[in-house]
Amino acid sequence: MRLAQHPPKFAPLPSIASGQLTIDLDAVVSNYRALSRWVAPTALGAVVKADAYGLGAGPVSRALSQTGCRDFFVAHLSEAIAVKSQVGTARVYVLNGVPAGAEPMCADASVLPVLNTLDQVARWACAGRMRNVRLPAAVQLDTGMSRLGLSETELSALCRSGLLQDINLRLVLSHLASADEPAAPSNADQRRRFEAMRAMLPKAPWSLANSAASLLDPESRGDLARAGLALYGVHPAQNDDMRLAAVVRLEAEVIQTRELPAGAGVGYGLTYKAERPMRVATISAGYADGWPRNLGNRGAAYFRGVRLPIVGRVSMDSMTVDVTALGSSGIHEGQWVELIGPHQSLEVVAADAGTIAYEILTRLGSRYERQYIQRNMPTEPAA
Ligand SMILES: *Cc1c(COP(=O)(O)O)cnc(C)c1O
């Protein structure tokens, strides 16, 4: 990892990587601060699962903990142990629960499991009894999404079991199925069910909102919001008023250019046929780099603000773009094009590929050279 003190030049030279992925940690921090103010007095936790959506859980968690974030969420225990080592005394929650037999490891790492099943609660209570402590944990309730958490029946059984006495209940959480559609009736249903279910439990802080609900639904914010996507600069819904700073920039190198006569085909299956003489450039990024294969004949790259349509299929390690619009000396081998950046947002790439920005982010490849921007190094250490 390189830490840049200044914005990188558009074409970092020399480079031996297929592409350059620039991650602006200052933008992550500024998005965190903006969203924190937005949801106040609700506290804001950061969701850094899946390697902080592909952007690097280590650097992202460190930057956010230095900014004052005290609650981090990941999916797996292995992720939690890695994040915990970066964030000191901040709390790290494991959304997918604790696997059977891993309770001592989880407790030793001072990581908080999100207990999703009666079995998980029983095992966590037992792990605490062996240590003569009530180990801290969160409990998740299924309020209608049918994904993770205790059902109403299981919650009743839990309350009758007495197991809760052996657990230090620090957070009760649930998740909305349609947070990005604030008018969906299921949101109000889930909120009501959550409130009724929470009333059966000892009083504890609660958390329901992801990025979309944090932005759009004040009633879902509770004590702690859990934001992922918005921190990484992507608007979770179309009609939010928040200004988010872009975090990701992706550039790839031109490795060859050529003139095509009318009638020439391009790429596997020759799915593109030049209708007139044209000029194309081959770019060193393909589907093995997480650049979606179904952007073939649909997506684009940008050079100096000019849109360069992808022609033919995206290959594993490269793709070809139409650079005719730039003229004969417009672009040449060794220059770099923008794949994600000021001219082409993650949302646009995702829409062109028929998917969501979450998927584009989490699939960003491992062959890129990664550069982290952090100009405003925090002066205060983490609390
Ligand atoms: C991934 C996840 C989040 C974060 O969602 P965003 O839409 O990225 O803000 C919050 N809560 C849970 C339970 C999640 O799985």
Side-chain angles (χ1 to χ4, degrees), residues 269-294:
L270 304 175
T271 60
Y272 184 86
K273 282 262 189 311
E275 281 178 9
R276 58 186 75 81
M278 61 189 287
R279 190 175 166 78
V280 295
T282 304
I283 309 298
S284 67
Y287 61 79
D289 301 295
W291 192 249
R293 185 171 175 275
N294 57 354

Side-chain angles (χ1 to χ4, degrees), residues 294-310:
N294 57 354
L295 287 179
N297 292 315
R298 291 173 73 177
Y302 276 79
F303 184 69
R304 295 182 182 150
V306 178
R307 186 172 193 272
L308 309 175
I310 296 172

Side-chain angles (χ1 to χ4, degrees), residues 47 49 53 95 140 147 175 210-212 226-230 358:
V47 181
K49 61 193 181 189
Y53 293 33
L95 290 166
Q140 179 155 212
R147 185 174 74 169
H175 196 54
N210 67 349
S211 296
R226 312 183 299 266
L229 196 68
Y358 297 84

Side-chain angles (χ1 to χ4, degrees), residues 36 143 229 336 338 344 364:
S36 279
T143 54
L229 196 68
W336 291 65
E338 171 191 324
Q344 180 158 265
L364 288 170

Side-chain angles (χ1 to χ4, degrees), residues 298-320:
R298 291 173 73 177
Y302 276 79
F303 184 69
R304 295 182 182 150
V306 178
R307 186 172 193 272
L308 309 175
I310 296 172
V311 288
R313 288 188 186 149
V314 172
S315 296
M316 184 187 291
D317 315 296
S318 66
M319 63 176 168
T320 303

Side-chain angles (χ1 to χ4, degrees), residues 27 52 58 71 93 95-96 104 113 167 224 279 288 319-320 338 367:
D71 296 275
Y93 293 91
L95 290 166
N96 279 10
I167 282 175
L224 178 65
R279 190 175 166 78
M319 63 176 168
T320 303
E338 171 191 324
R367 291 194 291 191

